[in-house]
């Protein structure tokens, strides 16, 4: 059993833009890999997380599966981090909160331009949509927040190196932005 | 010998009739604010300029400077309160910065950055608010209105038009447009009006002018709002 710091990541109602931005730490990823190993993450394809030190959550909560994944992360991560605008305030997906869900589905699957064979997808494997999109701190306790759409690679780097080196994470002015 | 107060221990001169905010701005001391503008009658509604005057909380923009006041301004406790107030403003409206034309140049955002606000803390209201895009040149996105009333005051005091007003209370409070239809297109607002340019957020926007300044060169990309605000308002004081 290695004593590396275990990090899990996931995207809920997000666009994976935050994950892409994380990858923008580029060659610093090699440095990170010296002390960190990835558990559940799109990087590893591990399906469920177990005993992690840090969980990075991108995206808000828009369906029942998001709730289960978020709770799994909370249960298994000592430190849970909201990454990016959508995790923090719902972001772009939350802009559907002003439109009744039925109207959203009708627009997407019946009335939208180019729709063929109009029907609302109802395969039992598809998670049910929630009435509204929620920031993740409304569902579980969140320890840290990294704002940005997406947070820059330097935000990930500063935050993770602070944590790994035993400092209280902090972001200087230049790294705090909401867009 | 001029009269003085102290702000965080610094001696600040004032003249009779000046508020604590006036005296601070003239002396180059930044007190956070959103609804205050040196050209307009103070409104005292955003509460971000709350300072401790001889141990009691007061709004610096409305409270007169008086000889011997000991004012606390830039303290961890007051800034923590200011951060909470700013978070409340963010959850009460619908402030989605990535999709707002004002991003990077927005005072609400600039202040949140200045206060190192990393999250919104409170549950979001997701209040349903409307957009008035009826006017050919000016639009209003009510989602971003923080009821600072600067447009109300600018329209009344500078433009002499009274295009805007605030109606309703509490959750029902909203900006109203002074026209028979309630729409902006039926007012006499013009693109040169002070009221069109005064909005601290992205609630009132001039059409077809968004996203012209690249990221990295916008007002709050590298400069903090304390410096920007003092440079702008200190200078206005001297005029």
């Amino acid at each position: 059993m290695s004593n590396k710091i275990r990090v899990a990541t996931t995207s809920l109602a997000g666009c994976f833009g935050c994950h892409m931005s994380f990858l923008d730490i580029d060659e610093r990823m090699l440095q990170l890999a010296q002390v960190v190993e990835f558990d559940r993450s799109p990087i590893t394809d591990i399906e469920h997380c177990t005993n992690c030190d840090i969980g990075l959550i991108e995206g808000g909560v828009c369906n029942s599966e998001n709730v289960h994944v978020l709770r799994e992360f909370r249960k298994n991560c000592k430190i849970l981090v909201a990454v990016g605008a959508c995790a923090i305030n719902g972001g772009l997906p939350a802009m559907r909160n002003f439109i009744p869900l039925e109207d959203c589905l009708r627009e997407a699957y019946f009335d939208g331009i180019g729709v063929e064979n109009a029907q609302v997808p109802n395969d039992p494997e598809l998670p049910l949509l929630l009435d509204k999109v929620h920031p993740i701190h409304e569902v579980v306790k969140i320890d840290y927040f990294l704002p940005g759409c997406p947070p820059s690679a330097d935000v990930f780097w500063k935050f993770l190196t602070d944590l790994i080196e035993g400092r209280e994470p902090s972001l200087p002015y230049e790294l705090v932005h909401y867009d | 010998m001029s009269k003085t107060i102290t702000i965080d221990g610094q001696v600040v001169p004032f003249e009779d009739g000046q508020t604590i905010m006036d005296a601070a701005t003239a002396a180059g001391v930044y007190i956070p604010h959103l609804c205050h503008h040196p050209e307009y009658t103070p409104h005292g509604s955003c509460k971000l300029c709350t300072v401790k005057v001889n141990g009691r909380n007061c709004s610096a923009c409305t409270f007169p400077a008086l000889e011997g006041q000991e004012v606390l301004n830039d303290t961890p406790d007051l800034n923590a309160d200011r951060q909470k107030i700013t978070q409340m403003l963010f959850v009460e409206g619908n402030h989605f910065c990535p999709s707002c034309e004002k991003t990077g140049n927005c005072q609400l955002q600039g202040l949140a950055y200045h206060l190192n606000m990393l999250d919104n803390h409170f549950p979001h209201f997701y209040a349903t608010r409307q957009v008035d895009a009826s006017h050919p040149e000016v639009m209003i996105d009510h989602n971003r209105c923080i009821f600072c009333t600067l447009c109300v005051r600018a329209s009344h005091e500078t433009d002499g038009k009274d295009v805007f007003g605030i109606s309703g209370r509490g959750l029902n409070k909203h900006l109203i447009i002074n026209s028979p239809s309630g729409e902006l297109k039926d007012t006499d607002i013009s693109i040169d009006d002070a009221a069109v340019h005064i909005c601290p957020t992205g609630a009132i926007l001039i059409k077809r002018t968004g996203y012209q300044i690249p990221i990295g060169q916008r007002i709050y990309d590298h400069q903090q709002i304390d410096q920007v605000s003092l440079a702008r308002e200190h200078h206005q004081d001297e005029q």
Side-chain angles (χ1 to χ4, degrees):
Chain A
M1 182 84 180
S2 82
N3 50 12
K4 283 183 170 179
I5 292 165
R6 294 172 65 82
V7 177
T9 79
T10 192
S11 178
L12 307 176
C15 69
F16 280 95
C18 295
H19 276 80
M20 298 306 288
S21 187
F22 182 26
L23 294 179
D24 281 341
I25 65 172
D26 295 335
E27 72 278 9
R28 288 176 288 184
M29 190 61 89
L30 299 175
Q31 240 175 296
L32 196 62
Q34 308 263 322
V35 288
V36 156
E37 69 181 345
F38 285 96
D39 191 84
R40 173 176 176 163
S41 168
I43 298 170
T44 60
D45 273 348
I46 295 172
E47 282 190 16
H48 294 284
C49 58
T50 42
N51 297 327
C52 291
D53 297 293
I54 304 170
L56 303 176
I57 311 277
E58 167 188 341
V61 177
C62 81
N63 64 31
S64 54
E65 190 206 11
N66 293 158
V67 178
H68 293 303
V69 172
L70 185 54
R71 285 182 175 156
E72 177 187 308
F73 268 71
R74 180 66 279 181
K75 207 171 166 187
N76 289 284
C77 300
K78 289 178 194 149
I79 294 170
L80 200 58
V81 188
V83 177
C86 302
I88 290 171
N89 68 16
L92 188 81
M95 295 180 100
R96 81 156 156 90
N97 288 357
F98 314 110
I99 303 162
L101 184 55
E102 207 177 327
D103 291 356
C104 290
L105 292 171
R106 191 180 303 118
E107 175 65 25
Y109 295 109
F110 287 93
D111 302 337
I113 295 166
V115 171
E116 288 175 24
N117 187 21
Q119 57 176 315
V120 174
N122 64 350
D123 189 288
E125 284 206 10
L126 290 173
L128 288 174
L129 292 175
L130 303 182
D131 182 39
K132 281 190 174 12
V133 180
H134 296 270
I136 62 174
H137 76 270
E138 292 183 13
V139 181
V140 297
K141 165 90 168 72
I142 300 298
D143 302 300
Y144 295 101
F145 299 83
L146 304 180
C149 183
S152 65
D154 287 340
V155 171
F156 286 95
W157 184 250
K158 174 73 168 65
F159 175 77
L160 288 172
T161 49
D162 275 355
L163 265 189
I164 289 163
E165 290 164 21
R167 291 185 298 268
E168 179 65 21
S170 68
L171 296 178
Y173 184 83
E174 294 277 325
L175 292 183
V176 179
H177 60 96
Y178 303 154
D179 56 9
Chain B
M1 176 126 175
S2 69
K3 298 178 179 180
T4 60
I5 59 175
T6 65
I7 302 180
D8 296 330
Q10 179 186 337
V11 177
V12 171
F14 71 95
E15 290 161 18
D16 285 335
Q18 280 190 315
T19 61
I20 292 171
M21 180 71 83
D22 294 334
T25 307
V29 174
Y30 174 70
I31 300 177
H33 57 273
L34 285 173
C35 76
H36 168 75
H37 190 288
E39 281 179 38
Y40 297 111
T41 312
H43 191 246
S45 60
C46 76
K47 299 297 168 199
L48 284 158
C49 73
T50 300
V51 290
K52 262 200 177 359
V53 182
N54 298 341
R56 297 178 67 168
N57 284 349
C58 299
S59 298
C61 72
T62 54
F63 207 75
L66 296 170
E67 180 66 39
Q69 281 169 340
E70 289 178 15
V71 179
L72 294 179
N73 169 43
D74 190 10
T75 71
D77 279 359
L78 284 168
N79 284 329
D81 288 348
R82 288 168 182 149
Q83 196 191 77
K84 285 285 166 283
I85 292 168
T86 311
Q87 287 169 325
M88 288 183 208
L89 289 173
F90 268 81
V91 301
E92 185 184 12
N94 299 303
H95 300 278
F96 295 107
C97 298
S99 63
C100 178
E101 290 180 27
K102 198 68 174 275
T103 187
N105 302 306
C106 168
Q107 288 179 39
L108 176 64
Q109 191 188 53
L111 190 62
Y113 291 172
H114 177 69
L115 296 167
N116 203 241
M117 186 184 113
L118 302 182
D119 72 314
N120 296 343
H121 183 79
F122 299 104
H124 275 260
F125 284 23
Y126 295 120
T128 303
R129 305 229 198 128
Q130 303 302 316
V131 175
D132 180 344
S134 63
H135 192 278
E137 290 175 307
V138 182
M139 63 168 279
I140 297 185
D141 188 336
H142 291 279
N143 289 289
R144 302 167 187 156
C145 180
I146 56 169
F147 314 116
C148 68
T149 75
L150 275 171
C151 60
V152 179
R153 285 174 279 163
S155 186
H156 179 77
E157 295 177 29
T158 305
D159 307 330
K161 290 185 177 177
D162 288 316
V163 170
F164 300 105
I166 297 285
S167 179
R169 284 183 180 276
L171 271 180
N172 297 316
K173 182 160 67 179
H174 59 290
L175 186 70
I176 51 168
I177 314 294
N178 184 10
S179 71
S181 63
E183 288 187 315
L184 203 57
K185 69 176 165 61
D186 298 320
T187 66
D188 55 352
I189 199 164
S190 107
I191 200 166
D192 303 318
D193 287 355
V196 173
H197 300 268
I198 198 98
C199 183
T201 74
I204 302 179
L205 293 170
I206 299 170
K207 291 183 176 177
R208 295 172 293 278
T209 60
Y211 304 118
Q212 289 184 348
I213 307 168
I215 291 173
Q217 294 173 28
R218 302 169 305 179
I219 296 173
Y220 301 111
D221 281 337
H222 303 295
Q223 299 176 88
Q224 295 212 27
I225 195 169
D226 54 345
Q227 298 307 316
V228 174
S229 173
L230 281 174
R232 196 187 286 151
E233 295 174 4
H234 185 59
H235 180 66
Q236 277 172 353
D237 263 16
E238 287 168 348
Q239 283 177 339

